[in-house]
């Protein structure tokens, strides 16, 4: 969410009515999340000036660990230097820390492509935004789940019940520090996640939603404590439903 919001912001800066705007003091502390959108807190160090040049050799974009040769345009300006400077700063301050983590395994190759392409400045802001929107579409639609074995058949569903909330086993990246609360596309994906965790014996798909509209599922090690809830469904592993647990 943070990276996508940042890319949308940089897209606007690259195509603003004033021209391409560069953030000269590009640091994480210069941004804040407001209602799920990233905002710049200080525009004092923003500029529409692009580096003047006489030849391509005048257009090297330097960073502490990398340098990029750019083209000198016919009007004597380094082509796209403001856009590229913003984008590489987004890569080194945000993408490298946020993109490699917490995405479903099937989407990680797409995010790795974005990371590598922006790190080498092979993508401009237009291509970067398009790539992010593709990943978001796959994530929201559940298309990344195609051709997977069905896991929900391994579970018994108890309608009209939910598990008692409380501290349970923890997983990463959980939305709750008390237990294992993860975003899922459906109960089928939740079943696949539960099967992949040795502690998990049951789960419930909650009414809570993330910023993409995906529900949160709560995974638990014991299905014993059930309470009535007309709107809920508890899914319990068939292997855990025998004996005295129910």
């Amino acid at each position: 969410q943070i990276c996508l919001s940042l890319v949308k912001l940089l897209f606007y800066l690259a195509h603003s009515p004033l021209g391409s705007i560069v953030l000269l003091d590009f640091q994480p502390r210069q941004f804040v999340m407001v209602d799920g959108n990233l905002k710049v807190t200080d525009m004092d160090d923003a500029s529409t000036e692009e580096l003047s040049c006489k030849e391509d050799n005048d257009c090297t974009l330097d960073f502490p660990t990398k340098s990029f040769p750019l083209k000198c345009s016919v009007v004597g300006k380094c082509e796209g230097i403001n856009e590229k400077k913003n984008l590489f700063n987004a890569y080194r301050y945000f993408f490298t820390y946020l993109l490699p983590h917490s995405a479903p395994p099937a989407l990680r190759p797409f995010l790795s492509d974005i990371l590598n392409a922006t790190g080498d400045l092979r993508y401009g802001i237009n291509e970067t935004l398009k790539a992010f929107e593709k990943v978001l579409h796959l994530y929201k639609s559940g298309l990344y789940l195609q051709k997977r074995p069905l896991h929900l058949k391994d579970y018994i569903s108890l309608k009209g019940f939910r598990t008692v909330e409380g501290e349970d086993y923890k997983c990463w990246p959980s939305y709750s520090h008390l237990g294992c609360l993860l975003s899922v596309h459906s109960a089928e994906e939740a079943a696949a996640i539960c099967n992949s965790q040795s502690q998990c014996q049951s789960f419930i798909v909650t009414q809570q939603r993330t910023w993409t509209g995906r529900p949160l599922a709560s995974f638990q090690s014991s299905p014993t404590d059930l309470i009535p809830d007309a709107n809920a469904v508890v899914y319990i592993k068939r292997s855990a439903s025998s004996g005295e647990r129910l």
Side-chain angles (χ1 to χ4, degrees):
Q1 181 182 15
I2 293 171
C3 291
L4 175 62
S5 188
L6 176 59
V7 168
K8 288 180 177 179
L9 173 61
L10 297 188
F11 179 87
Y12 173 79
L13 294 180
H15 301 284
S16 83
L18 300 175
S20 183
I21 298 175
V22 63
L23 301 176
L24 299 175
D25 186 19
F26 198 114
Q27 300 283 343
R29 64 174 179 269
Q30 299 284 18
F31 300 90
V32 64
M33 291 291 286
V34 180
D35 296 328
N37 295 306
L38 207 66
K39 305 286 187 180
V40 183
T41 60
D42 186 0
M43 292 293 289
D44 289 347
D45 294 308
S47 174
T48 58
E49 292 294 321
E50 292 196 305
L51 186 64
S52 298
C53 57
K54 293 182 179 179
E55 56 184 27
D56 290 350
N57 288 338
D58 298 328
C59 294
T60 301
L61 182 56
D62 290 317
F63 292 95
T65 58
K66 280 190 177 182
S67 295
F68 300 95
L70 304 181
K71 297 290 185 181
C72 183
S73 71
V74 294
V75 295
K77 297 289 184 181
C78 295
E79 287 186 356
I81 192 168
N82 287 353
E83 173 187 328
K84 292 179 185 298
K85 188 171 185 178
N86 283 341
L87 189 54
F88 190 78
N89 278 327
Y91 159 81
R92 66 182 182 136
Y93 287 119
F94 287 89
F95 297 172
T96 54
Y97 296 103
L98 300 177
L99 287 189
H101 310 293
S102 77
L107 292 179
R108 288 174 193 168
F110 295 98
L111 296 177
S112 293
D113 287 344
I114 294 174
L115 194 63
N116 294 332
T118 53
D120 295 333
L121 286 185
R122 286 184 285 109
Y123 280 1
I125 192 62
N126 294 358
E127 295 85 357
T128 304
L129 179 58
K130 186 179 296 184
F132 266 102
E133 289 178 336
K134 177 182 178 180
V135 175
L136 180 63
H137 172 67
L138 294 173
Y139 185 61
K140 292 174 70 173
S141 65
L143 289 173
Y144 67 94
L145 295 169
Q146 288 181 347
K147 299 179 181 179
R148 283 191 167 194
L150 298 178
H151 295 281
L152 203 56
K153 58 180 173 50
D154 299 331
Y155 292 79
I156 294 173
S157 62
L158 294 179
K159 296 182 180 180
F161 292 92
R162 64 178 172 85
T163 51
V164 177
E165 293 183 10
E167 189 167 347
D168 206 311
Y169 80 90
K170 298 174 176 59
C171 66
W172 188 89
S174 177
Y175 282 79
S176 169
H177 68 280
L178 296 177
C180 186
L181 187 66
L182 301 174
S183 163
V184 298
H185 177 259
S186 62
E188 179 60 50
E189 184 181 15
I193 292 173
C194 189
N195 276 6
S196 70
Q197 298 175 346
S198 59
Q199 307 99 313
C200 185
Q201 295 297 318
S202 67
F203 67 87
I204 178 172
V205 180
T206 74
Q207 300 298 311
Q208 295 175 266
R209 301 274 170 170
T210 69
W211 66 281
T212 60
R214 287 162 54 99
L216 294 177
S218 177
F219 300 88
Q220 297 184 323
S221 60
S222 172
T224 53
D225 299 323
L226 302 178
I227 57 176
D229 186 333
N231 298 317
V233 181
V234 177
Y235 297 87
I236 302 174
K237 276 185 180 178
R238 292 183 181 276
S239 59
S241 63
S242 58
E244 299 180 355
R245 294 203 173 191
L246 289 178

